[in-house]
Amino acid sequence: MKIPKSHPRYASLVRRERLVQGWRDGIVVPEGLIAHGRGEAFDYLLGEETPAPALVSEKTAAALLLTADHPVISVNGNVAALAPKETVRLARAVSARLEVNLFHRTEARVARIAKALRAAGARDVLGPRPDARIPGLESKRALCHREGIYSADVVLVPLEDGDRTEALVRMGKRVISIDLNPLSRTSQRASVPVVDELTRALSNMVTFAKELQHHPEEARRIARAYDRAGNLRATLSFLAWRLRSLHGGRNRRRGSRRSDSAST
Ligand code: ATP
């Protein structure tokens, strides 16, 4: 479908089209479409732009990935369909490995996702023929690679479920999530919860990684200073402020935020 660029919700419609195409290509499962709908609802409430606390988490995430000994980015079907280029760019910027990890796992789908990542420029993708398990997980999401997620010290898990986030934290890893729902078990359990839309979050993280690339001391300082509980509280305060503003009948969307906050 050709979406006119002038459409006010162009970016959102493009994302839907990518997911539907991903489903046609056997990369996305129907359950992934449902998960996306939940994310969209939160994005609408958040104003469809990166909230300030998410920027802080994104910078921290870039700092953590850059200073990690063994960073890994976990990729599922929605991530591969929505943002393959951004994912590969981030992996390059922070020297992280990419590993396909699926809840609804079939070897054919793992292979298709790995192929999509390679088409986006990835050279090395883990996923097929896993040789380890994440302890304490029953689902196929436990399957992983010894030289990938299993031995990683920092793992980025975009669009994750709470169980695996918790299991990875239990293994002693620093877990960065990307999830628009600040109330999800994933956001509540991750070491660095990024509450932002996937594509925006990855692009911002690439920018921060490039800024911090040659400043390891600054990156370490940023990672140390992060206050996860304070950040989640700030996100919920922002959401509450948005709802109060909308309830008050004023349009607080794009462009109106700065003057609004100055007047409250
Ligand atoms: P949990 O187990 O963490 O409570 P869940 O059961 O909702 O979460 P999933 O069904 O895997 O877990 O949903 C994935 C999450 O991803 C949802 O919370 C949804 O808000 C979020 N999400 C979906 N699409 C996007 C997107 N494009 N960008 C950011 N977040 C998204």
Side-chain angles (χ1 to χ4, degrees), residues 35-36 38-39 159-160 162 179-181 184-186 196-198:
H36 185 76
R38 177 158 38 216
L159 321 186
E160 183 59 75
D179 187 335
L180 275 158
N181 179 1
S184 73
R185 290 173 310 144
T186 302
D196 195 6
E197 194 281 321
L198 173 81

Side-chain angles (χ1 to χ4, degrees), residues 191-205:
S191 328
V192 178
V194 173
V195 180
D196 195 6
E197 194 281 321
L198 173 81
T199 320
R200 290 196 306 260
L202 290 173
S203 301
N204 290 340
M205 284 159 67

Side-chain angles (χ1 to χ4, degrees), residues 16-117:
R16 280 189 194 173
E17 281 303 306
R18 283 190 187 157
L19 274 181
V20 171
Q21 189 56 49
W23 171 73
R24 286 196 190 105
D25 295 342
I27 284 176
V28 171
V29 287
E31 290 83 350
L33 304 179
I34 297 170
H36 185 76
R38 177 158 38 216
E40 274 192 340
F42 276 98
D43 207 18
Y44 218 98
L45 292 174
L46 289 163
E48 294 182 285
E49 57 188 8
T50 302
L55 274 177
V56 174
S57 293
E58 284 155 5
K59 192 166 193 176
T60 305
L64 257 186
L65 287 164
L66 276 172
T67 53
D69 290 327
H70 185 27
V72 175
I73 301 176
S74 179
V75 182
N76 65 18
N78 280 32
V79 174
L82 285 171
K85 289 201 176 119
E86 290 85 346
T87 305
V88 172
R89 259 184 229 135
L90 181 63
R92 269 211 203 117
V94 300
S95 303
R97 296 199 77 174
L98 290 165
E99 180 167 336
V100 181
N101 179 277
L102 305 177
F103 185 80
H104 301 281
R105 182 184 178 105
T106 65
E107 293 314 308
R109 195 156 80 93
V110 172
R112 282 194 288 270
I113 292 171
K115 191 173 165 198
L117 290 172

Side-chain angles (χ1 to χ4, degrees), residues 45-260:
L45 292 174
L46 289 163
E48 294 182 285
E49 57 188 8
T50 302
L55 274 177
V56 174
S57 293
E58 284 155 5
K59 192 166 193 176
T60 305
L64 257 186
L65 287 164
L66 276 172
T67 53
D69 290 327
H70 185 27
V72 175
I73 301 176
S74 179
V75 182
N76 65 18
N78 280 32
V79 174
L82 285 171
K85 289 201 176 119
E86 290 85 346
T87 305
V88 172
R89 259 184 229 135
L90 181 63
R92 269 211 203 117
V94 300
S95 303
R97 296 199 77 174
L98 290 165
E99 180 167 336
V100 181
N101 179 277
L102 305 177
F103 185 80
H104 301 281
R105 182 184 178 105
T106 65
E107 293 314 308
R109 195 156 80 93
V110 172
R112 282 194 288 270
I113 292 171
K115 191 173 165 198
L117 290 172
R118 283 195 297 271
R123 266 175 248 121
D124 164 39
V125 183
L126 296 168
R129 294 177 299 282
D131 57 3
R133 286 190 76 91
I134 300 167
L137 273 189
E138 296 298 321
S139 71
K140 288 190 176 177
R141 286 212 117 165
L143 296 173
C144 64
H145 280 260
R146 202 157 281 282
E147 56 174 310
I149 287 171
Y150 190 83
S151 56
D153 54 345
V154 176
V155 191
L156 170 62
V157 290
L159 321 186
E160 183 59 75
D161 69 38
D163 288 0
R164 196 167 76 114
T165 307
E166 196 166 33
L168 291 170
V169 170
R170 264 202 314 269
M171 285 177 86
K173 302 176 192 306
R174 309 291 295 277
V175 179
I176 302 159
S177 63
I178 301 176
D179 187 335
L180 275 158
N181 179 1
L183 307 174
S184 73
R185 290 173 310 144
T186 302
S187 296
Q188 294 293 325
R189 281 163 177 72
S191 328
V192 178
V194 173
V195 180
D196 195 6
E197 194 281 321
L198 173 81
T199 320
R200 290 196 306 260
L202 290 173
S203 301
N204 290 340
M205 284 159 67
V206 171
T207 306
F208 285 129
K210 287 186 176 161
E211 268 174 40
L212 291 170
Q213 228 160 23
H214 304 295
H215 305 282
E217 269 315 307
E218 176 63 0
R220 270 189 277 277
R221 189 196 63 73
I222 289 168
R224 269 197 310 272
Y226 185 68
D227 169 10
R228 78 174 288 290
N231 191 277
L232 271 179
R233 270 199 307 276
T235 302
L236 291 174
S237 300
F238 173 70
L239 190 54
W241 170 80
R242 281 260 315 152
L243 290 174
R244 270 198 310 274
S245 307
L246 293 166
H247 183 252
R250 282 176 288 168
N251 183 0
R252 304 293 171 136
R253 294 189 53 138
R254 239 171 282 270
S256 59
R257 203 180 279 170
R258 184 163 297 156
S259 54
D260 288 341

